[in-house]
Amino acid sequence: MFVVGGESLIDLVPTGAGADAERVALAGGSPFNCAIALSRLGNDTGFLCPISQDEYGDLLLTPLAENGVAVLLKDRVAAPTTKAIVTFNDKMQASYVFERGADRAFTREGLLAALPEAVTLYQIGGFCPILEADAAVWRDVVDQAIARGATVSFDINVRDKLVDDEAGYRARLSQFLDRAHLVKLSEEDHEWLEPGKSIETHATELLERPNCALVVVTLGEHGSRAFSRAAHGSAPIHAPPVFGDTVGAGDSLMAGILTWLKDNDRLGQEPMAGLTNTELDAMLGFGAVVAGINCGRKGCQPPNRAEVDAVLAA
């Protein structure tokens, strides 16, 4: 099973321009989105995050059930659902202000008990390093997933508005990076983490960590790049016929990359380390189609495998 651990939340998305625009509530959160995208692409997927008893919790459970994602924590929690207030710039790129709640309502014992006995892939959520109390628990979960056979992926997804202790956050982030076999980051993550450093240098430094074998960097409208220990590759975006917005684009791309790696028997530290230029280009191209189809819709609505295959065939 592919297991995604981390936050789910409700995106409160404006329906028009201006500060007074009405907002619609949409199920979201990067790990939540990625879990749904993975399942739509044909992967056996579980989601490891507490779900609130409130009405927004109902809104989160519905798409998980509709898309066949296993909810690994069965008992719902009293804490209110975490919320993200979304705004868009003139390119329809989203930014977020967060109100945290149920995503933190877990215990170490509960998470470890919910983890499947066999884990093919474990993905770390971007909120996991933000607070020390949370990070200590999630590190144990990651270590247990590794002990159960998991390849570990980490979509860094820096949320600087939630970071009150930058030095502590960077230290905790580093501990998760040392556990990850695949690291994905956006150009904005890169610039926040390593201002003034080239992407190539940053990727090389990540690959020098104990377990990292593959680094993926997304560049917005300029596509994406990937670096293995053997090669590097790139791919442009897949532009949909009609553009919606970019919500969930990175999560969809990540799901596409993980699916490509599994389907091509390249999921794992050694196989990923040896990926060639041609393979990296193909991997990113597959992910770009998944992300591009999603961007043709409003909100995060990743494609299913048939939709992706149809675009690739054309």
Side-chain angles (χ1 to χ4, degrees), residues 14-48:
T15 57
D20 297 329
E22 292 186 6
R23 293 180 177 273
V24 62
L26 301 174
S30 177
F32 176 92
N33 293 339
C34 190
I36 288 176
L38 283 167
S39 189
R40 286 190 180 182
L41 292 172
N43 303 288
D44 179 23
T45 306
F47 183 52
L48 189 62

Side-chain angles (χ1 to χ4, degrees), residues 2 120-121 151 258 261-262 264-269 271-272:
F2 281 18
T120 302
L121 181 284
T151 299
L258 293 171
L261 290 168
K262 183 202 72 173
N264 289 275
D265 296 322
R266 294 294 185 267
L267 190 64
Q269 185 179 22
M272 292 190 303

Side-chain angles (χ1 to χ4, degrees), residues 182-261:
L182 189 169
V183 175
K184 174 185 167 293
L185 64 159
S186 67
E187 189 174 28
E188 292 79 13
D189 294 333
H190 163 71
E191 290 170 354
W192 191 88
L193 291 166
E194 297 290 353
K197 185 174 289 185
S198 72
I199 288 173
E200 293 84 356
T201 299
H202 191 185
T204 299
E205 291 173 353
L206 288 169
L207 289 167
E208 290 171 349
R209 287 179 176 269
N211 293 299
C212 187
L214 177 61
V215 175
V216 174
V217 184
T218 59
L219 307 171
E221 62 190 17
H222 300 295
S224 56
R225 302 178 68 185
F227 304 83
S228 71
R229 293 179 182 173
H232 57 85
S234 63
I237 64 168
H238 168 72
V242 177
F243 180 73
D245 59 45
T246 62
V247 174
D251 309 321
S252 298
L253 183 138
M254 184 67 165
I257 285 171
L258 293 171
T259 300
W260 188 94
L261 290 168

Side-chain angles (χ1 to χ4, degrees), residues 26-98:
L26 301 174
S30 177
F32 176 92
N33 293 339
C34 190
I36 288 176
L38 283 167
S39 189
R40 286 190 180 182
L41 292 172
N43 303 288
D44 179 23
T45 306
F47 183 52
L48 189 62
C49 175
I51 303 294
S52 176
Q53 298 167 357
D54 64 20
E55 61 182 5
Y56 286 143
D58 296 339
L59 187 58
L60 290 167
L61 285 174
T62 298
L64 293 172
E66 289 175 346
N67 291 286
V69 178
V71 177
L72 299 177
L73 288 171
K74 306 300 184 185
D75 295 332
R76 295 173 68 174
V77 299
T81 297
T82 296
K83 301 172 187 65
I85 295 90
V86 182
T87 56
F88 295 107
N89 63 17
D90 56 1
K91 295 182 179 180
M92 289 303 292
Q93 294 171 322
S95 61
Y96 306 84
V97 175
F98 297 95

